[in-house]
Amino acid sequence: AQKVTQAQTEISVVEKEDVTLDCVYETRDTTYYLFWYKQPPSGELVFLIRRNSFDEQNEISGRYSWNFQKSTSSFNFTITASQVVDSAVYFCALRAGSSGSARQLTFGSGTQLTVLP
Amino acid sequence: EAGVAQSPRYKIIEKRQSVAFWCNPISGHATLYWYQQILGQGPKLLIQFQNNGVVDDSQLPKDRFSAERLKGVDSTLKIQPAKLEDSAVYLCASSLNPRRGQETQYFGPGTRLLVL
């Protein structure tokens, strides 16, 4: 079975603060993919990043950065110098396994980020 | 490139009525997914198609939900009869071909269903 835990239900920060969203995953498979999606109030899930289990290199894209650590089964997401437009629900997701239902994309419960002006 | 299209965006029905949702994936994407997202939760997979065949429908409530992708392109999800607990956002997503490692799923805007 696979599971994604986002322990932070809601986070509020003031604009320009840095914020880290936590994601812990569980899987017995050695090959898997991890994702982050953003869901603004409009409702559409916007793809942010995908990492595979063989690539632990951290990634930076503008104000966004991701820290993948297999040793702790975590894939945390940091927004630097947050902006009001970053306010949204952020989902971490896992896709693992080689066949059947194990290849489902399993989502965490999401973290509601509110950036205050 | 056009994204995943869904219609309608909103639907309000009474319990025991029927409803259908439509999805057109990104052009060339072999795999299509339907998800149900209940308020405050992450999306849950209902069904996955690879071209016009069903890959996974293990979480689809088959007594009331059905889906088809007859020509391997667009898809329809139906609920008949609807229950109050079906109130949710129904998301459609597509990916190029996960069997070839092209795993990333791209989502449409969703259909918000309210069952009264």
Side-chain angles (χ1 to χ4, degrees), chain A residues 33 35 37 39 41-45 47 50 91 95 100-101 103-105 107-109, chain B residues 9 33 35 37 40-43 45 56 58-59 91 98 101 103-105 107-108 112:
Chain A
Y33 297 86
F35 302 81
Y37 285 87
Q39 189 172 44
S42 60
E44 184 169 346
L45 278 163
F47 166 73
R50 182 190 91 177
F91 289 97
R95 185 178 175 108
S101 62
R103 299 212 72 186
Q104 288 184 17
L105 190 59
F107 285 85
S109 55
Chain B
R9 293 297 311 277
Y33 314 79
Y35 288 86
Q37 186 179 18
Q41 299 180 17
L45 180 70
D56 183 357
S58 57
Q59 297 190 93
L91 294 162
E103 297 282 341
T104 302
Q105 295 182 26
F107 286 79
R112 295 176 186 267

Side-chain angles (χ1 to χ4, degrees), chain A:
Chain A
Q2 52 190 38
K3 184 179 179 182
V4 176
T5 301
Q6 294 180 257
Q8 304 151 307
T9 305
E10 297 182 21
I11 300 176
S12 287
V13 298
V14 177
E15 202 169 22
K16 297 183 184 177
E17 286 184 353
D18 298 346
V19 59
T20 295
L21 309 182
D22 298 333
C23 172
V24 174
Y25 62 91
E26 295 177 30
T27 179
R28 286 180 288 204
D29 290 285
T30 56
T31 300
Y32 52 89
Y33 297 86
L34 293 162
F35 302 81
W36 274 96
Y37 285 87
K38 174 182 180 180
Q39 189 172 44
S42 60
E44 184 169 346
L45 278 163
V46 178
F47 166 73
L48 296 178
I49 191 172
R50 182 190 91 177
R51 305 299 284 175
N52 70 50
S53 52
F54 300 112
D55 185 2
E56 283 193 77
Q57 193 172 16
N58 291 328
E59 181 148 342
I60 298 175
S61 176
R63 296 184 297 108
Y64 295 170
S65 62
W66 291 268
N67 183 356
F68 177 26
Q69 291 194 335
K70 289 179 76 172
S71 61
T72 56
S73 297
S74 65
F75 185 42
N76 296 336
F77 173 30
T78 298
I79 303 175
T80 304
S82 59
Q83 300 176 1
V84 173
V85 294
D86 295 328
S87 296
V89 180
Y90 290 85
F91 289 97
C92 180
L94 165 70
R95 185 178 175 108
S98 57
S99 63
S101 62
R103 299 212 72 186
Q104 288 184 17
L105 190 59
T106 299
F107 285 85
S109 55
T111 298
Q112 170 72 60
L113 173 65
T114 302
V115 181
L116 303 169

Side-chain angles (χ1 to χ4, degrees), chain B residues 71-89:
Chain B
K71 297 181 180 179
V73 180
D74 57 352
S75 175
T76 302
L77 176 69
K78 297 180 181 177
I79 307 175
Q80 180 179 5
K83 292 185 175 181
L84 297 178
E85 58 261 36
D86 297 332
S87 294
V89 176

